[in-house]
Each structure stands twice: as structure tokens, then as C-alpha cells.
Amino acid sequence: MTSKLSSLVRRGTEFLTPNVSSSNLNATNSINSFQKAPEGKLFPKVDPTIDGEDCDHDCESCTIHYPAKFAIDEDEKLYGFVKGWATHLVVATGKTDWVRDVEDEKGSVMEAVGKCKVQPTNGRLMLSASNMPLPQSHHDHPKCAEPTTVLLLPALTIIENVTPQSVPDLIDHYISMASTNTTPLPKAPSETTQNTPTATSEITAAGLLDPAETSAPSLSLPPPSKFTSRPCPHNYLILLCSQKTRDARCGQSAPLLRREFERHLRPLGLYRDLHDERPGGVGIYFISHVGGHKFSANLMIYRRAGVDSGEKVVSGEAAQCIWIARVRPEDCEGIVKFTIMQGKVVKPERQLRGGFDRERGLVSW
């Protein structure tokens, strides 16, 4: 009861209190000249004359189906109603379901982020719990002090040894220094002067901002800590909402979609399970509630910049996030062929909720 009451109080406070992070995000948009894309302009739609006559058809070989009573909202307009976000923190928990509000998971990094008085200075942070595996050292520490791993987006940076107690440092020295959804993509190495590597350039390579290339105030380097960071090995990420405590349909749809995605990705050599860190490929993770469970299944696709058909591995940040909903197993083939591999949307009128494209300077909010 206490947990539910605190959740209600927090949501009421967020509704009534001006969002400083949202103001920062708007400022970032203004500085970098990102524009809100009208419906139909954010991502290209598949074109039968270019992509083949069957590019917008459902998969005929799909044998996986949702339960007979799996019903969702098919009428409400989707595009343009996603609340803008600047960065996305995905926290490893080793679980596929959580308490209703993940910030109420006792002793967790999510709870620490929710209660932290230190806020990101570069815009609104989206927080997700995930089924990313816990580190082996997790259970060797006292309760509420166990380290875990987080994935920071769009920087595509994995940060290890994060504890609830270290969250203020994580926000100050990693999240606030990181690229956002409205940060222009860093220049390719060939476009920049090649200097002797420094601490600052190493941070930039890990997906954090080089202060010299941004309009933000100069930033200090992180102090010595137990954090370690490295680039995410995957070129693409599929984040599937699996939180059945919010809605049973999310718990039903996520594992079914993962099976169908695996069926299409394995022949291409692109499937990566939770413990597969071979460079490249498509990582598939279950995450907590992202909003809009009545449009289940919801999934977010992050695409790394500069990747050539999933085979050429290029270090760098996410150039796009394509957020779609009302996804069914028979949609997976088209999503792999066109959305993941080419950045195109097969059924934008029915499925596209929003996202961003840093290469073209467009967002949906």
C-alpha cells in the first residue's frame, strides 16, 4: 500500500511541477536546430516500386500468434504523442518483470535514480529496467549496495559497477556529459584532426561529449571511480516492453516477438542473445513500461550510425530511435528487412509512435 501511495504522490507531483529537464531539452533543440517532423516525414515509408511489391505485406510463414483474446486499441492516433526525452538509461536487473513503478524497486539503481536530487543537466532522462544479465559480482555485495550494469543511449555506452550509492556520480559525470537525442552526430575520425589520445578523447570514444564540439559549458572529467565504460557491441537494439505487472499483454507479446525476431535474424547472422557480445548484430532486450500498453506490443529500435547492412561494424552512437507499437509476430519479417536494416517504416500510419533522427535533425516531439 505504501509503495502504491508513493507512486501516486510522485506522479501527481510530476504532473503539477514544471519539468526542468524538458526546458533543457527544448533549449537543446533550439541550439542544434532540430525540428519536429510532421507525420509521414520522420522516417521513410517502404515503397513497393523500390522495395518490392510485397514490402508492406505480413509474413506468410509466421506460425507464432498472440492469444485469441489479445485485443488492443486500434483507433487512437499514435504519432506525435510521445513525450520527448534526451537520454535513455537501461538498467540490468536480470528480470523480465518488475513492480508497477520500477523506481519503487527497493534497493535498486532505478529507485536511486528516481530519488536522486542530482538531475541531468542535458534534458529529460528516460529510465528503464531491463533483463540484461547482472554482473557475477552482484551477489558478493551487501543488499542495496550490489553493483549492476547500465546501458546509456543514444551514446550506446555500457557502464559497469554502478551501485545505488554511486548514482549521483553516474548522473554528473556520465549522463550529463553524454550525447542526447538532439546532439548532432560526432564527426567521423577522417573529418577531425588526429591528435595524440587524451583522457577527453577516450571519453568521447565511449559515447560521451567532447566539450570542444558542443555549445554546452565546459565540463570536467570524471573523478577516479570504480565505474568502467565500454561501447555497446551491438549495431542495433530492439527494446521490447515485457512488464506484465502493468499490462498482461506486454508480458505475453514480448517473448513471442523475440522468438519470431530470432527466426528472421539467425539466418542473417545478426541475432545476439543476452550473453552474446560478438561485435555487430541485433541485441534484443526486455524493458519496463514505456507508456501506451493499450497499443501493445511496444518496441523501440536504436540504430547505430554508419552501419552497412549489419555487417560492417562501426563504433559510434545511435543515429535513430524508431518507436513503433501495435506490433504483431507477422510484422517481424518486415521490421527486420526494412526498419532495422534500412531505417524505413512498413506501417507508419498504424504503428509509428515517434522517435528521432540525428542525421537529419528531426524529432517527433
Side-chain angles (χ1 to χ4, degrees), residues 32-62:
N32 296 324
S33 300
F34 274 66
Q35 298 179 349
K36 179 176 180 178
E39 186 170 7
K41 300 296 183 182
L42 182 55
F43 305 113
K45 180 181 178 179
V46 293
D47 182 347
T49 63
I50 299 172
D51 302 308
E53 293 182 0
D54 61 348
C55 64
D56 55 357
H57 294 185
D58 292 341
C59 175
E60 295 181 353
S61 62
C62 181

Side-chain angles (χ1 to χ4, degrees), residues 22 177 191 234 248 257 263 328 360 362:
S22 295
M177 290 183 67
E191 301 177 52
H234 307 311
L257 290 178
R263 187 171 76 91
R328 304 184 68 85
R360 298 167 63 213
L362 298 175

Side-chain angles (χ1 to χ4, degrees), residues 41-351:
K41 300 296 183 182
L42 182 55
F43 305 113
K45 180 181 178 179
V46 293
D47 182 347
T49 63
I50 299 172
D51 302 308
E53 293 182 0
D54 61 348
C55 64
D56 55 357
H57 294 185
D58 292 341
C59 175
E60 295 181 353
S61 62
C62 181
T63 59
I64 294 176
H65 303 287
Y66 286 157
K69 295 183 179 180
F70 192 99
I72 60 169
D73 184 319
E74 292 281 1
D75 301 318
E76 192 170 326
K77 180 179 172 64
L78 288 185
Y79 183 78
F81 293 94
V82 167
K83 186 177 182 181
W85 76 101
T87 54
H88 190 176
L89 189 69
V90 182
V91 183
T93 71
K95 302 192 299 183
T96 61
D97 195 24
W98 306 269
V99 298
R100 179 179 174 83
D101 290 291
V102 294
E103 293 176 14
D104 292 330
E105 286 267 347
K106 296 299 181 184
S108 69
V109 166
M110 294 86 71
E111 181 186 44
V113 171
K115 292 182 176 180
C116 189
K117 294 181 180 180
V118 177
Q119 295 295 310
T121 59
N122 55 352
R124 176 175 171 253
L125 173 67
M126 181 185 291
L127 176 66
S128 297
S130 81
N131 68 333
M132 289 168 54
L134 293 167
Q136 292 183 350
S137 61
H138 178 82
H139 300 292
D140 297 335
H141 292 73
K143 189 170 180 60
C144 300
E146 301 100 328
T148 190
T149 303
V150 301
L151 170 63
L152 182 58
L153 300 164
L156 282 172
T157 299
I158 292 174
I159 305 166
E160 297 168 323
N161 301 320
V162 177
T163 65
Q165 293 76 20
S166 66
V167 161
D169 281 342
L170 176 72
I171 293 174
D172 264 344
H173 301 297
Y174 280 85
I175 296 174
S176 289
M177 290 183 67
S179 300
T180 73
N181 300 341
T182 53
T183 303
L185 286 170
K187 295 178 182 178
S190 59
E191 301 177 52
T192 59
T193 303
Q194 300 298 312
N195 296 319
T196 302
T198 62
T200 303
S201 64
E202 289 172 2
I203 289 174
T204 306
L208 305 180
L209 290 179
D210 181 344
E213 294 188 1
T214 73
S215 54
S218 59
L219 300 168
S220 60
L221 297 179
S225 72
K226 294 183 178 180
F227 292 144
T228 58
S229 65
R230 56 188 173 89
C232 173
H234 307 311
N235 287 333
Y236 311 96
L237 295 175
I238 300 176
L239 305 183
L240 283 162
C241 178
S242 66
Q243 191 170 358
K244 64 182 179 181
T245 54
R246 279 296 187 114
D247 195 296
R249 291 168 293 190
C250 297
Q252 293 169 338
S253 61
L256 296 176
L257 290 178
R258 181 175 61 184
R259 283 170 52 195
E260 188 63 10
F261 277 125
E262 179 179 357
R263 187 171 76 91
H264 293 288
L265 290 168
R266 276 199 183 278
L268 302 174
L270 297 177
Y271 179 74
R272 301 290 187 269
D273 63 26
L274 291 173
H275 300 281
D276 188 345
E277 294 207 347
R278 286 176 296 157
V282 182
I284 303 178
Y285 302 137
F286 291 170
I287 62 169
S288 54
H289 179 66
V290 293
H293 46 257
K294 63 182 178 180
F295 308 123
S296 184
N298 273 276
L299 62 89
M300 304 172 76
I301 298 170
Y302 282 91
R303 305 181 69 247
R304 191 189 297 276
V307 177
D308 181 16
S309 301
E311 298 175 359
K312 182 180 177 182
V313 179
V314 180
S315 63
E317 303 177 358
Q320 297 173 321
C321 176
I322 303 173
W323 187 340
I324 55 178
R326 296 173 177 150
V327 177
R328 304 184 68 85
E330 55 267 30
D331 296 320
C332 292
E333 181 181 38
I335 291 171
V336 169
K337 283 184 178 180
F338 301 110
T339 308
I340 294 174
M341 306 303 296
Q342 301 182 43
K344 298 179 179 181
V345 183
V346 179
K347 303 174 182 177
E349 298 85 1
R350 178 177 178 266
Q351 295 182 325

